[in-house]
């Protein structure tokens, strides 16, 4: 018997639980020659802003122990160019496209979301709440329950699409933030984004990133992302969750599912192994089969 | 441009100098399509730290035998691991990647400027260039390093019968000083030249300045951190002038590593 | 010229900036046969509680990518046994002994601090603010400015010794917490402690720690600890800081100093290389010499 | 008890079975003071991941030659790295560490119970025990594994002329079933015995129960995660009964890994 890999995250239904994370897979098309994109559960685009953004000066990335810091600065061609040039080609793949939305003001979030909602072929919107809020001195939306509530509510009013709120791990207690997002109308929570960090070069006596600080991702943060996911799962047992942070093997993904994730996203590890997302899907299937489970649902949340 | 992601077998792994190793890999599709200046991303083991694969320029490629090689110096954990790979073992490999050196056919003299571990792509370029040289067309190698024993690829250049001028910081071989001094001198000689350079970015910046001053066409292969090597992470950004006079970032792994020096915004 | 390795953290003066971190060096004596303890800048004891604590059931530790989770549960023989059996032997080393104080109530913190202050040979008290507060449902003292203020103020009243507040990295913004600690009378800040995480065994479908969650330490967290230290340094340029989190080489320690640390602590890496703390001290000296600096002070805070 | 922290040279590194390797290290102070049941902490390379050193039981020690060896199976990143260490390279080593097996001199029969990779310390123990056996004193080896090819140390035991009884889960060799079944049977034989066991903790728990029921003195070498190996982290806690009837945690790396089975609180 072939285990059932399909997962339902409310209105968002996927053929398997393995997606690629925002900002780590380009617009998706870049990988076309290396893997069969049609086998992915979903593709999350890099975060889109209202107008094109040039991004930060280099160096933008630095390797750290079992991780990396990035300060790409949301370089992207803007939502209009995405809709005009990329979306239709992505749509041909038949793989659900989740559009990640970034903004520094509520208006920007809403502006991007409105345009995406009018287009054909966007399966869901993922709200990147790790963006600095201009009006609040750069405080990340996702580190404050009120800001989270405002951002999610504003986008909720602007779109009929399934709405994913992607939370920041940079918090003492993620539960109030998660509750605020759900109360404001998020259908799904995605946890988590990167954690702020710096790296210094002892020899040149300079920061290793031109922007000084950046977001930490990769295997190093897996225990932290899993901790937050587990806690949200306890507090909000009904909300579909997407786990992301440090996944680099099928076992890593299975751990997130055991802790309560409906689906997972692979980020940094795509760089190291472009075919990983497919292998993770196959690995989950093999795991279910070997352990006599008939579906992903059967193992979700059994570790609590 | 086609890229291949495959496990390549180590067919030879030799010490080539103090701390320097040549790794020969069997990977026919890569060996057949590689162009000088291009690189591969290597992953000797599935480790979490080092996390990233690393880029290595192709030193030479033998399409008939289906092998190509890279030359690397052991610096830190990654290259230490790489150096432990025995003959017969497999290394996950992605390539060939990136842009390549383009021979400037109008030039009478091709000046290849190599700094330290920047030599390998120029060895490959020289090897492919020499057979195509017309009468009256010359090639000169300018190579610099901190010390004599850190000079890379001299055997390769010598095997081509190329003219080689050497600079070392400490004067342990050749001219005492920077390889860019040799370049300044060479550019004073009255012959139409083109420059192809690879080495530390600081050196390339000087090379670019000298060439700009002399109106000499110049291609540089830039170093940048490369998490993915295939254009998706935007980590390897290089600031360039766009054709419409603006400024934007280009990816060292796709639009580079070889750029026209005049395109690059040096800062 | 031999560079001057001495550092002054207000009233706490050390012959060099390299200490060993609380809970990672036993009571110090355990390493006696492996390294010359007299060469350390200071020894921080494992955290002491008012009464002996048995600690958590095993498994208590698990390796994670470039890090580890621990849930030791503050196993220790209690402050009295420490004063009776260990302190005098430690004192003979001539190395400053910093006593780490843990507690689940204000009273416990104060109780331990009072006993330590009466003893001979305690160079300073380090307040472990990552302890769960019983009265506030287990919220860590160090994740809330008010609780931090209360704990530091209470201990401040109870001791004349130099007082180090060791902060938690489990926060969105560490600056208000750091300010609260200093306002309440902390002489020195130590940043940071471990970050909460979990690890799951996909094959047994259980948590890898008996206590489920634990504290993440090791190289994986270095970028995070350095980020917090850097931010506190900007906000409180006058306060002496101790950097801790992921140090496993002299360069790592130098990075913390460049970011503004007066001294550093080595934790997890002691396990892997018992002689590391001495090598780091030698490495700092070699670095100063090679770069023409005459003291540790000369490089402190030059990266900002 | 003296411990040494030193770089030990790899003098031999041999494949000893499917996935199984013997590593012989030159480290005279460790070779001279090691006692059966003790272990060393090894660090093949300075890596951040794997982060911890790992404990390995001493398989044999030759004080005269100043060498000792360990037997390990390649399981994951750490042991993969270990297996790459060539002869002549150095491995940072700390040891000998921990408690050891103590021959119960009152027993007429010494039963060594080995499960899978638990065999090495018992090989060492057997080698030191055999020359001390008095007339009428016997030694029996009970060894179990999942499959035939996962049995470890049989050559060593055989070289001592020991009686060996084998169990495999799949019956591919010897008795089909658990090695603890063999123990139950052996304990039924009317001879005063002592038991020394090493293997998975689940197996040891059964061994302990059987011995307790039969009033047979029993020592077990426990597995525990060991970040430091020298008693400072308290990560390797084992729950034990204290002499005063209480319960406390002991360190598998200092008070263990060998415990009297009756001390251990199994849960
Ligand atoms: C297109 C391209 C082609 C390349 N081709 C080659 C090649 O042919 N041969 C080759 O040997 N290398 C090549 N490199 C470099 C190579 O990718 C690795 O970076 C190099 O092998 C070092 O690897 P490592 O991981 O061992 O050392 P790393 O850990 O990456 O560090 C290298 C050394 O530099 C130090 N270091 C790291 N970052 C800094 C910094 N910011 N400032 C000062 N010191 C620093 C480290 O401490 C270490 O000593 C190429 C790079 C690029 C981008
Ligand atoms: C006192 C002592 C003596 C030892 N002596 C020896 C010896 O002589 N020879 C020897 O080979 N080993 C010995 N070990 C074990 C050894 O220390 C390592 O744990 C072993 O070599 C595995 O190393 P690894 O890092 O490659 O694999 P690890 O990464 O540690 O993992 C080992 C395997 O088990 C899996 N795994 C890890 N944790 C769990 C878990 N909780 N549940 C299920 N699966 C898990 C992993 O996925 C992997 O496949 C000893 C341990 C102790 C405590
Ligand atoms: C280079 C890079 C760029 C990223 N860009 C985005 C982004 O645009 N929007 C977003 O929501 N997350 C972004 N992320 C975060 C990832 O989607 C993911 O949440 C995070 O990296 C943790 O997962 P990982 O450890 O698997 O990488 C980025 C991460 C990296 C490494
Ligand atoms: C096993 C273990 C036990 C610890 N116990 C304590 C403790 O008792 N008190 C305390 O303040 N910090 C404790 N810590 C935290 C360390 O002192 C240090 O702040 C943290 O591990 C980060 O540093 P590192 O990455 O160098 O280990 C402990 C850490 C570990 C790994
Ligand atoms: S290395 Fe990722 S885009 Fe160039
Ligand atoms: S392994 Fe650290 S105390 Fe035993």
């Amino acid at each position: 018997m072939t285990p059932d890999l399909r997962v339902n995250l409310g209105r968002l239904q996927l053929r398997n639980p393995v997606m690629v994370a925002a900002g780590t897979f380009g617009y998706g098309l870049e990988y076309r020659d290396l893997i069969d994109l049609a086998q992915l559960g979903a593709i999350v685009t890099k975060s889109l802003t209202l107008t094109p953004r040039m991004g930060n000066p280099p160096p933008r990335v630095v390797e750290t122990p079992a991780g990396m810091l990035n300060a790409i600065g949301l370089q992207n061609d803007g939502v209009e160019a995405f809709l005009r040039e990329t979306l239709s080609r992505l749509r041909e793949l038949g793989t659900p496209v989740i559009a990640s939305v970034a903004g520094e003001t509520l208006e920007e979030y809403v502006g991007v979301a409105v345009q995406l909602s009018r287009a054909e072929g966007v399966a869901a919107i993922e709200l990147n709440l790790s963006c600095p809020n201009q009006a609040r001195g750069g405080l990340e939306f996702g580190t404050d329950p009120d800001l989270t509530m405002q951002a999610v509510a504003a986008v909720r009013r602007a779109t009929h699409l399934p709405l994913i709120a992607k939370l920041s791990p940079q918090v003492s207690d993620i539960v109030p933030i998660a509750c605020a997002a759900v109360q404001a109308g998020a259908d799904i929570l995605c946890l988590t984004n990167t954690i702020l960090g710096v790296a210094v070069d002892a020899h040149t006596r300079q920061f290793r990133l031109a922007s000084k600080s950046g977001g930490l991702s990769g295997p190093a943060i897996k225990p932290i992302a899993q901790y937050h996911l587990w806690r949200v799962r306890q507090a909000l047992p009904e909300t579909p969750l997407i786990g992301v942070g440090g996944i680099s093997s099928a076992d890593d993904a299975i751990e997130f599912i055991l802790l309560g994730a409906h689906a997972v996203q692979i980020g940094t590890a795509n760089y190291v192994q472009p075919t990983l997302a497919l292998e993770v899907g196959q690995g989950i299937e093999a795991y279910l089969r070997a352990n006599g489970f008939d579906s992903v649902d059967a193992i979700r949340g059994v570790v609590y | 441009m086609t890229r291949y992601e495959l496990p390549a077998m180590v067919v030879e792994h030799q010490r080539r100098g103090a701390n320097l190793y040549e790794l020969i890999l069997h990977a026919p599709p890569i060996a057949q399509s590689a162009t000088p200046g291009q690189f591969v991303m290597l992953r000797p083991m599935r480790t979490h730290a080092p996390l990233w694969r690393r880029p290595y320029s192709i030193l030479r490629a033998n399409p008939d035998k289906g092998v190509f090689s890279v030359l690397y110096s052991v610096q830190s954990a990654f290259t230490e691991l790489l150096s432990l790979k025995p003959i017969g073992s497999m290394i996950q490999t992605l390539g060939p990647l990136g842009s390549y050196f383009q021979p400037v056919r109008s030039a009478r003299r091709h000046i290849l400027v190599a700094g330290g571990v920047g030599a390998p792509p120029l060895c490959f370029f020289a090897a492919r260039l020499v057979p195509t040289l017309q009468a009256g067309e010359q090639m000169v190698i300018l190579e610099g390093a901190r010390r004599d024993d850190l000079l890379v690829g001299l055997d390769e250049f010598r095997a081509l019968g190329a003219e080689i001028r050497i600079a070392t910081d400490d004067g342990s071989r050749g001219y005492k000083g920077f390889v860019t001094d040799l370049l300044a001198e060479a550019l004073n000689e009255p012959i139409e030249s083109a420059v192809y350079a690879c080495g530390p970015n600081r050196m390339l910046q000087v090379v670019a300045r000298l060439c700009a001053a002399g109106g000499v066409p110049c291609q540089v292969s830039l170093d940048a951190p490369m998490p993915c090597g295939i254009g998706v992470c935007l980590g390897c950004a290089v600031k360039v002038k766009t054709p419409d006079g603006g400024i934007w970032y280009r990816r060292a792994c796709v639009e580079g590593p070889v750029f026209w020096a005049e395109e690059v915004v040096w800062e």
Side-chain angles (χ1 to χ4, degrees), chain A residues 64-66 69 139 143-144 169-173 195-208 211-213 216 219-224 226-228 230 251 254-255 258-259 287 291 293 299 302-304:
Chain A
T64 66
L69 291 171
L139 184 68
T143 59
D144 181 272
Q170 189 86 13
V171 293
S172 301
D173 182 0
I195 305 177
L196 285 167
V198 298
V200 174
D201 185 329
H203 296 278
T204 60
R205 289 186 285 284
Q206 295 188 329
F207 287 101
R208 287 190 188 266
S211 322
K212 299 183 182 178
S213 65
L216 184 64
I221 69 165
K222 192 185 72 169
I224 302 174
Q226 291 186 338
Y227 171 79
H228 290 303
W230 167 58
D251 274 1
I254 291 164
E255 291 162 22
L258 292 170
L259 287 168
Y287 176 91
N291 291 280
F293 295 107
I299 61 166
V302 303
V303 173
Y304 55 88

Side-chain angles (χ1 to χ4, degrees), chain A residues 142-161:
Chain A
T143 59
D144 181 272
D146 286 342
L147 288 180
T148 299
M149 174 97 71
Q150 287 167 29
V152 175
V155 173
R156 176 72 293 169
R157 281 190 296 271
T159 186
H160 58 282
L161 290 169

Side-chain angles (χ1 to χ4, degrees), chain A residues 21-24 45-47 61 68 70 72 74 100 126 128 166 192-194 215-219 221 244-247 265-269 271, chain B residues 233:
Chain A
T24 63
T45 69
K46 65 171 77 173
S47 287
V61 289
M68 64 176 281
N70 89 80
I72 305 298
L74 293 176
S100 171
E126 183 178 278
N128 175 355
K166 183 169 178 186
T192 67
N193 216 308
T194 54
L216 184 64
S217 65
I221 69 165
V244 50
I247 296 177
Q265 293 177 354
I266 294 174
T268 303
Y271 305 153
Chain B
C233 75

Side-chain angles (χ1 to χ4, degrees), chain B residues 173-223:
Chain B
R173 179 130 165 222
Y175 168 77
K176 181 176 194 299
F178 294 131
V179 68
T180 45
D181 300 343
L182 299 183
L183 177 63
E185 208 178 295
L187 291 180
N188 276 335
E189 296 160 20
I191 173 167
E192 199 172 337
S193 297
V195 168
Y196 315 83
C198 184
N201 288 356
R202 288 181 320 282
M203 173 196 110
L204 297 178
Q205 181 166 7
V206 178
V207 168
R209 186 157 38 74
L210 293 171
C211 290
V216 175
C218 173
Q219 295 164 49
V220 292
S221 176
L222 295 178
D223 190 12

Side-chain angles (χ1 to χ4, degrees), chain A residues 271, chain B residues 41 225-237 251-254:
Chain A
Y271 305 153
Chain B
M41 299 288 288
M226 291 192 180
C228 76
I230 57 171
V232 297
C233 75
L234 306 183
C236 61
R251 298 165 296 184
C253 69
V254 174

